[in-house]
Amino acid sequence: MAGSVQASMAERMARVVPGGVNSNVRLEVADRFVARGLGARIWDVDGNDYVDYVLGQGPAFLGHAHPRILARVQAEIAHGMTFGAQSEVELLAAEALIDALGWAEMVRIGMTSTETVQAAFRLARTRTGRPLFLRFRGQYHGWLDNVLISPAEPTPAPASRGQLPEALDQSITIEWNDVASLRGTLDRHGDRIAAVITEPMMLNAGAILPEAGFLETIRAECSARGILLILDETITGFRLGPRGAVGRFGVVPDLAIYGKAVAGGFPASVLAGSAELMSEFASGTNHSGTFNANVLACAAIVAAMEVMADGEVHATVEATGSDLMDQIRSLLSERDLPVQVRGLPAAFHLSYDDDLPVRNYADLLRGDAARYGRLVHAARDHGLWLTGRGIWYVSAAHDRTTTADTLERLARAIAVAETGAVRA
């Protein structure tokens, strides 16, 4: 990297932006600068190309620079971006979302899922009059004080300097896929719990599926105890299918949060629910934001819903992702490497681990994160854009060509990473 355009940019960036990044998630790639993306590939400012399985941490589900998304956005923003009143494309976006989801009656459109989670919490407190939230270890619901927790600890603990520990007094955290713990916690604290919030599938960490009946049990327990069920579909929404995890697993929440794939790579988030519940926002429960439902976001949502409407996108991702997972398993098996490949074709996880099941975050900690980190570092140097936490996102733009390129580049990266591991 010495003498490269990227090295120069990284040096300049570090002088004007803390850590050289505008999101701490990017600290692991502070030395990398992307010039452009198209489909399933990105190119850095030095001209190196990468097959991309980060997809901007998930949003580019349709691929980078999708022509229909760009065309609709460009046409709409030519007339302005935000007006302090409603726009037609805002109405079209809301209608398209409700039609696509199939279960929700009303939506509110925001900018980020971090803020939309807070809107869902406020609505849950309004409805129940209760202060607490039950959540699951290893799941991420934003970076604000009351939700950012250290997954290394089994009980809620701050994950950042400067974070108010008392803000976490609102949270009770248990392990995923643990029905006994769920029921025991609800028995002890249920009369003070406003909502259970969960990813319907753990995708931020581990690509861990819900065990048979687990989501159904959460739904039944919430209904019986007057507790709201909030599904955080920031990652799963529109990625696991045209109706997200609700369509895939058949469990309908009281509220759901959507982000990332909802707008084809553009910044937008959505809170969805019943008309009876969502109407609280018009009756004294505040939800505000200058850039909520701006023209850019809403145009992107409308176009994304159109592109995904017929199901072909998801069929393509299922086929491509399934083949990719199988071929990666074969490659790893040939080299006798103890790596698990688990999850769904649209988003799967790799970790150096034994063959025991991974049911929750505690199980995920078994993996050799340092060894996987060496592989990721080598992969980036060989043209694979991967994230260090093990998740691989597949887009509608990935195909047989990208799979072939991936396997060839991954094989070379493994050779370097494993040789380095032996030397160390």
Side-chain angles (χ1 to χ4, degrees), residues 213-227:
F214 184 64
L215 292 179
E216 291 83 354
T217 298
I218 298 175
R219 173 69 278 176
E221 292 289 340
C222 286
S223 297
R225 299 169 189 263
I227 297 169

Side-chain angles (χ1 to χ4, degrees), residues 42 61 65 86 141 160 182 200 222 253 271 292 299 308 336 342 394:
I42 59 173
F61 175 63
Q86 289 57 251
H141 303 295
S160 171
L182 171 72
C222 286
L271 180 62
N292 285 358
M308 293 187 286
D336 197 27
R342 67 175 168 275
V394 177

Side-chain angles (χ1 to χ4, degrees), residues 65-78 266 299-300 303 306:
H66 192 284
R68 287 179 61 180
I69 307 288
L70 294 182
R72 185 60 184 258
V73 167
Q74 289 166 350
E76 293 290 346
I77 64 174
F266 284 86
E306 291 173 350

Side-chain angles (χ1 to χ4, degrees), residues 90 93-94 97 107-111 268-271 287 292-293 297-298 301:
E90 181 177 347
L97 285 163
V107 296
R108 274 285 179 99
I109 301 172
M111 287 290 291
S269 64
V270 175
L271 180 62
H287 170 240
N292 285 358
C298 290
I301 288 171

Side-chain angles (χ1 to χ4, degrees), residues 34 58 63 82 96 98 135 137 151 153 170-171 237 242 251 265 293 317 321 327 353 360 386 390 422:
V34 175
T82 185
I98 290 165
R135 56 176 298 176
R137 184 182 179 195
E153 303 295 332
Q170 302 170 10
S171 296
V251 173
V317 171
Q327 295 207 47
D353 196 1
N360 51 40
L386 307 178
V422 170

